[in-house]
Amino acid sequence: MKQIRKVLVANRGEIAIRVMRTCREMGIATVAVYSEADRTSLHVRYADEAWYIGKSPSPESYLHIDHILDAARKSGADAIHPGYGFLSENAVFAERCAAEGITFIGPSPEVIRQMGDKISAREAMKRAGIPVVPGTEGVVVEEQEALDFAREAGFPVMVKAAAGGGGKGMRLIHNEEELYPALRAARSEALAAFGDDALYLEKFITTPHHIEFQILADEHGHTLHLFERECSIQRRHQKMIEETPSPLMTPELRARMGETAVRAAQAVGYTGAGTIEFLVDDTLQYYFLEMNTRLQVEHPITERVTGVDLVKQQILVAMGLPLSFTQEELFQRGHAMECRIYAEDPDNNFLPSAGKISRITEPTGLGIRTDGYVYEGYEIPIFYDPMISKLIVWGSSREETISRMKRALYEYKITGVKTSVRFLERIMNCPDFTAGNYDTSFIEKNKACLESSETCRNACEDMVIIAAYIDYREKLGRLLESKEFQPVQNRWKKTTHIHHF
Ligand code: MV4
């Protein structure tokens, strides 16, 4: 067993505070690291100590391995929690921690590296007999090979970067004419974005559900799942709302997918908390998509329905302790939903809305959790992800959860920056959403219903004006054609022409 007495959280924002809260509960000291722009950030104040790690741009601070390890060494931290994003799935960082004798709270560098390479992840799953999206064997080198696959599988197909993930470097190809140009573009994009131009192709699964399973495994061979999370409400690969249980799920499908997720984790020797992402098509056929070797943004909905603190479990596993519960002891109780609150303007193409928080009041009450980090007077930095907080709501049923979420969103008042709160309210009022009848095309399919009330109102007003004008023109035309119409006599001219403007 490795005693952990002090954890450095190599992250910022809400997740840094969230991790530090669990550390505090466990009697573990906390170390914050901060950049120039984060001098006034809440995680700096919350931690027992704080270390400056560099300038605001992430590469000079939160992505700078040496600066972070310097802070770990100087603070005497015996473990590092990477949160999500930044270095959380960086195998080199995990290796450097190990080399410094610092416990990296997460899976081994080998597993991080293997799951970070989407082709080797697929190969590992195929070997374990886990269904993967039909695709090419290994890296696509020759364009002819891609054409052969696409002809065999049938269009549309998706080209993806082996070093990508999360939708980065993906392209949808509808026919042969598009294939070669798309391959070349994807290859140069992948090289630029990831320094690795390896590509692969998959059959496109139309309007899939994006369902993921939470995994937890210790270093003593115990692996279990903590059920699913439905993540199909996404905009440009950015999740907006997640919920558990999934409206699509049946007990039988849940058991099969859960067993598959556990087998996937065992197949790669996973330890700690991880997530298996699946695509599920409209025949409820499911396919392994990716494995995330980090804690996910949306983990709180799983915590709420199972009662398990996933960060606490990560730390206990990192200490080398066996899991203290079995699969049979885990149940989903009620229904939880997360809305991500972004400082973005949904009525202006979701452009980030920087600025100072002048007022904020957050909802509270039974079944309501807000994981945030902003406060009145706080200036939201432009350097990082614009997520302000996560609103996690629980209810005894999906209906109760939605009505409670509506109430919570109504209470959520943030002034000084534009936020996605109003957009989330519109989703809560969308019939397809409230009926649980949605997949990853939801945002696209419900554009009209999701337009801002302002935009809707403007559009409606325009419609009213246009309708009135058309009505006027029709009446005028009938009048002009009618017999009783007598043109106004003008003593200077025979008739007066009516000039239509
Ligand atoms: C797919 C797919 C359909 N067919 N792959 C990959 C990264 C993940 N975040 C989304 N990914 C997808 N991969 C195949 N073969 C559908 C998705 C997908 C998606 C794609 C485009 C736009 C939004 C999406 C939301 C969820 C899943």
Side-chain angles (χ1 to χ4, degrees):
M1 164 162 166
K2 291 169 279 185
Q3 186 56 34
I4 291 177
R5 294 184 179 78
K6 182 181 278 191
V7 169
L8 181 149
V9 181
N11 214 301
R12 63 176 300 282
E14 66 88 15
I15 192 61
I17 295 171
R18 186 261 169 276
V19 170
M20 291 175 186
R21 282 175 167 149
T22 291
C23 292
R24 180 164 290 276
E25 288 177 18
M26 296 173 77
I28 294 173
T30 54
V31 178
V33 290
Y34 64 93
S35 67
E36 192 60 43
D38 276 338
R39 284 186 183 284
T40 59
S41 257
L42 208 52
H43 73 288
V44 176
R45 302 182 188 176
Y46 189 92
D48 298 313
E49 60 185 285
W51 293 75
Y52 174 79
I53 52 167
K55 300 224 177 315
S56 304
S58 300
E60 298 180 59
S61 46
Y62 298 103
L63 290 174
H64 200 298
I65 294 177
D66 288 333
H67 291 179
I68 291 169
L69 291 178
D70 284 348
R73 211 178 295 116
K74 288 174 193 161
S75 63
D78 40 31
I80 287 181
H81 193 299
Y84 49 67
F86 294 128
L87 295 169
S88 62
E89 296 186 289
N90 183 312
V92 170
F93 180 57
E95 279 164 348
R96 289 285 309 278
C97 290
E100 300 261 343
I102 295 171
T103 301
F104 175 83
I105 298 174
S108 68
E110 296 71 32
V111 169
I112 295 174
R113 184 169 284 112
Q114 186 185 21
M115 295 300 104
D117 174 340
K118 302 309 170 191
I119 293 177
S120 57
R122 278 168 56 87
E123 298 306 315
M125 296 306 145
K126 276 193 263 189
R127 285 195 296 274
I130 284 152
V132 299
V133 181
T136 49
E137 291 295 322
V139 184
V140 165
V141 181
E142 300 302 327
E143 293 182 339
Q144 182 61 44
E145 185 192 343
L147 183 55
D148 295 345
F149 166 76
R151 283 175 173 163
E152 169 70 23
F155 286 96
V157 295
M158 263 197 154
V159 58
K160 295 184 175 180
K168 291 195 280 295
M170 261 170 49
R171 275 176 132 75
L172 186 54
I173 301 168
H174 300 91
N175 52 51
E176 293 197 13
E177 291 69 36
E178 290 179 10
L179 182 61
Y180 290 171
L183 279 174
R184 290 172 198 142
R187 201 175 288 285
S188 57
E189 248 174 58
L191 191 58
F194 316 115
D196 175 349
D197 70 353
L199 300 175
Y200 63 104
L201 269 74
E202 291 179 342
K203 172 77 180 147
F204 182 63
I205 311 294
T206 49
T207 61
H209 274 256
H210 190 134
I211 295 178
E212 61 191 31
F213 270 71
Q214 179 66 55
I215 284 293
L216 190 58
D218 64 19
E219 295 171 344
H220 307 273
H222 308 114
T223 305
L224 46 78
H225 71 83
L226 291 99
F227 310 108
E228 82 276 8
R229 292 187 288 260
E230 170 74 57
C231 305
S232 296
I233 305 290
Q234 302 190 16
R235 182 181 171 276
R236 294 187 186 169
H237 300 293
Q238 184 181 69
K239 295 168 183 169
M240 302 190 82
I241 297 176
E242 303 97 345
E243 65 178 306
T244 181
S246 161
L248 185 78
M249 200 55 78
T250 64
E252 190 275 330
L253 179 61
R254 176 177 294 115
R256 278 195 295 124
M257 290 182 75
E259 184 276 329
T260 301
V262 166
R263 230 167 359 103
Q266 289 168 328
V268 298
Y270 199 84
T271 57
T275 294
I276 309 286
E277 284 188 4
F278 293 100
L279 287 180
V280 185
D281 69 19
D282 47 17
T283 68
L284 297 191
Q285 174 60 48
Y286 59 89
Y287 306 92
F288 169 85
L289 185 65
E290 299 174 13
M291 177 168 200
N292 301 323
T293 57
R294 68 178 191 280
L295 190 65
Q296 307 260 134
V297 170
E298 58 270 24
H299 75 276
I301 61 173
T302 298
E303 295 189 316
R304 189 57 182 84
V305 297
T306 61
V308 173
D309 176 334
L310 286 167
V311 170
K312 185 171 194 173
Q313 294 306 317
Q314 285 184 298
I315 293 169
L316 295 174
V317 165
M319 286 178 178
L321 292 169
L323 295 181
S324 57
F325 47 83
T326 63
Q327 186 73 63
E328 292 65 37
E329 292 169 282
L330 288 172
F331 295 94
Q332 292 169 298
R333 179 182 169 82
H335 195 105
M337 191 175 281
E338 176 182 88
C339 280
R340 300 189 188 195
I341 314 290
Y342 283 93
E344 291 175 336
D345 184 356
D347 300 331
N348 190 8
N349 202 26
F350 291 86
L351 286 177
S353 168
K356 183 177 284 197
I357 302 283
S358 45
R359 294 276 300 148
I360 181 165
T361 47
E362 298 196 304
T364 183
L366 172 63
I368 291 181
R369 165 180 170 180
T370 55
D371 275 15
Y373 76 104
V374 300
Y375 54 87
E376 290 182 7
Y378 179 65
E379 182 92 29
I380 298 181
I382 56 167
F383 300 95
Y384 315 113
D385 184 281
M387 188 169 76
I388 291 180
S389 83
K390 302 166 343 192
L391 171 55
I392 297 99
V393 168
W394 175 86
S396 55
S397 68
R398 187 168 191 266
E399 291 65 32
E400 183 175 75
T401 301
I402 289 177
S403 58
R404 188 165 285 155
M405 180 64 82
K406 286 178 178 177
R407 188 269 291 175
L409 288 167
Y410 168 76
E411 284 181 14
Y412 219 142
K413 301 296 182 221
I414 304 171
T415 55
V417 292
K418 293 200 183 291
T419 74
S420 53
V421 169
R422 298 287 82 81
F423 186 80
L424 293 162
E425 285 185 310
R426 288 180 220 134
I427 294 178
M428 290 299 136
N429 287 305
C430 257
D432 276 353
F433 180 78
T434 48
N437 172 26
Y438 65 82
D439 54 44
T440 49
S441 61
F442 170 83
I443 299 278
E444 193 54 37
K445 277 182 183 161
N446 288 276
K447 265 192 169 15
C449 158
L450 296 173
E451 293 261 303
S452 81
S453 44
E454 182 63 26
T455 316
C456 278
R457 189 165 39 254
N458 293 343
C460 293
E461 283 164 8
D462 292 350
M463 236 89 84
V464 166
I465 291 166
I466 290 165
Y469 181 64
I470 290 169
D471 184 50
Y472 152 71
R473 288 297 303 264
E474 284 172 355
K475 286 195 172 100
L476 183 68
R478 285 197 294 275
L479 187 65
L480 288 174
E481 285 154 12
S482 72
K483 293 187 179 45
E484 64 267 18
F485 176 73
Q486 296 301 328
V488 173
Q489 290 303 327
N490 179 323
R491 55 175 173 279
W492 293 289
K493 283 192 295 179
K494 282 290 288 167
T495 58
T496 302
H497 289 282
I498 297 176
H499 298 279
H500 303 303
F501 301 96

